[in-house]
Amino acid sequence: MKEYILGVDIGGTTVKLGLFKSQGQLLEKWEIKTRKDHEGGYIIGDIVESLENKLDEKNISKENVLGVGIGVPGPVKDDGTVLKCVNLGWEVFNIVQEVNKLIKLPVRAGNDANLAALGEMWQGGGKGYKDIVMVTLGTGVGGGIVIDGKIIPGYHGAGGEIGHIKVSNDETECCGCGNKGCLEQYTSATGIVNLANKILKNEKIETMLRAFKHLSAKDIFDSANLGDKLALKLVDEYNANLGIALANISCVIDPEVFVIGGGVAQNGNALIENITKHFKDNAFHVLRNTKFELAKLGNDAGIYGAAKLIE
């Protein structure tokens, strides 16, 4: 019986790698640098070399390895075709074929946010559920959809791009995607800081937020917990935008649970309670009791999900 799975999560700065038992136990994790020079041409070779070195170090034969799962920070089609990955310098190519050619093991690939959702369903905050929507609240807003235990990547591999749902027709500034009024502009860590700085620049208002030289999302949430009026207003708008967006998503997906992760989710149960309130106020009546859970795997969710692709 093949006992092991290799999970890979490619990021813009580092590649996270994990050695798993086939039942989902993470035996060891490590990282290598993401070499983006030469249009990302070194990345695949570096990954394969690192995986083979780990198998040699652990004296594990490839005959005992089920395969390699890979998370990519961009759209990935079902057959492993990466539809460009700007952050890595990649154009269109088939990552499954390229990795398989070098490592001679079964390979599957998917979008990193979708795989994080799959990982949380398998061993994290979504464990015990089969239909989940994961929302990652960090520098940007990511998402992943899992229905009946399977990722829903969509035809173009862009399923779960929650951060680019349009929530405002009045926005004048562009989102990173090129559109205007995306959810990410209001409910990412970057977005809430940008909104705060705009108010601080244009309005004469007393607030402890002016004391921070380099304002962060954490500063805003902490100040709201201390009762600062502007911070409270910003956080309530943040929760309202997110709650309304998730209420709209629930009308299409009808998940058992929303799993909330990312750096902003460190605000914990208070964040969940506030999002849930706005969700209930806006959701279709039969969906109002949809559950919300915090993600549990942190930065390891991607390698768990990559491994689950193979399991």
Side-chain angles (χ1 to χ4, degrees):
M1 179 182 169
K2 298 190 177 186
E3 298 179 66
Y4 302 100
I5 304 173
L6 296 163
V8 179
D9 182 17
I10 304 172
T13 305
T14 63
V15 179
K16 298 176 180 66
L17 307 102
L19 174 66
F20 292 81
K21 294 285 277 188
S22 57
Q23 300 87 350
Q25 178 190 0
L26 177 60
L27 299 175
E28 189 168 340
K29 61 180 179 176
W30 68 102
E31 295 182 359
I32 60 173
K33 184 180 177 183
T34 305
R35 292 201 288 164
K36 293 185 284 188
D37 40 333
H38 295 282
E39 297 179 329
Y42 296 122
I43 295 172
I44 289 175
D46 288 349
I47 288 169
V48 171
E49 181 182 8
S50 184
L51 293 174
E52 292 193 321
N53 287 344
K54 185 59 65 176
L55 293 178
D56 288 344
E57 176 194 319
K58 299 294 181 184
N59 199 26
I60 296 171
S61 165
K62 285 185 183 178
E63 292 179 358
N64 282 331
V65 179
L66 279 166
V68 183
I70 303 173
V72 177
V76 184
K77 295 194 77 171
D78 228 16
D79 66 352
T81 301
V82 176
L83 302 177
K84 286 196 177 184
C85 196
V86 179
N87 291 340
L88 301 180
W90 286 350
E91 292 295 321
V92 177
F93 77 106
N94 191 300
I95 192 170
V96 166
Q97 291 175 4
E98 293 299 317
V99 174
N100 176 264
K101 208 185 298 178
L102 294 174
I103 202 166
K104 308 298 183 190
L105 282 169
V107 180
R108 291 193 66 194
N111 169 265
D112 57 352
N114 284 335
L115 293 191
L118 189 65
E120 288 289 346
M121 183 213 71
W122 190 30
Q123 299 292 342
K127 192 170 185 178
Y129 301 99
K130 284 194 172 181
D131 300 308
I132 82 168
V133 172
M134 183 173 176
V135 185
T136 307
L137 304 170
T139 306
V141 174
I145 301 165
V146 179
I147 300 297
D148 196 25
K150 297 179 180 63
I151 291 172
I152 306 297
Y155 177 76
H156 297 96
E161 288 287 358
I162 289 167
H164 300 294
I165 293 171
K166 191 177 184 73
V167 295
S168 173
N169 290 319
D170 301 322
E171 184 59 58
T172 57
E173 295 182 15
C174 282
C175 174
C177 73
N179 289 333
K180 296 176 181 177
C182 292
L183 182 67
E184 186 170 290
Q185 292 181 271
Y186 308 99
T187 61
S188 65
T190 308
I192 194 172
V193 169
N194 288 341
L195 292 172
N197 284 331
K198 195 181 293 184
I199 292 170
L200 292 172
K201 181 181 178 182
N202 297 323
E203 296 182 27
K204 291 180 179 178
I205 184 170
E206 283 190 29
T207 170
M208 63 178 67
L209 298 184
R210 294 191 187 278
F212 298 100
K213 188 175 180 181
H214 300 290
L215 188 65
S216 69
K218 183 178 186 302
D219 297 331
I220 296 169
F221 279 94
D222 288 348
S223 298
N225 290 335
L226 294 172
D228 182 85
K229 287 184 180 179
L230 175 58
L232 283 166
K233 179 174 180 288
L234 287 163
V235 169
D236 189 57
E237 286 179 4
Y238 177 102
N239 292 327
N241 279 318
L242 194 54
I244 292 167
L246 297 185
N248 292 337
I249 289 168
S250 72
C251 287
V252 180
I253 306 297
D254 187 13
E256 291 177 87
V257 63
F258 285 100
V259 178
I260 311 296
V264 177
Q266 290 174 6
N267 291 283
N269 290 327
L271 178 70
I272 293 288
E273 287 169 14
N274 289 320
I275 295 171
T276 303
K277 175 189 176 298
H278 289 286
F279 175 87
K280 286 179 180 289
D281 288 344
N282 293 280
F284 183 55
H285 64 93
V286 298
L287 305 172
R288 287 175 191 154
N289 291 322
T290 301
K291 294 177 182 177
F292 283 74
E293 300 283 355
L294 287 168
K296 293 180 179 176
L297 299 177
N299 290 331
D300 294 340
I303 55 172
Y304 272 94
K308 177 62 175 172
L309 273 182
I310 302 296
E311 183 245 10

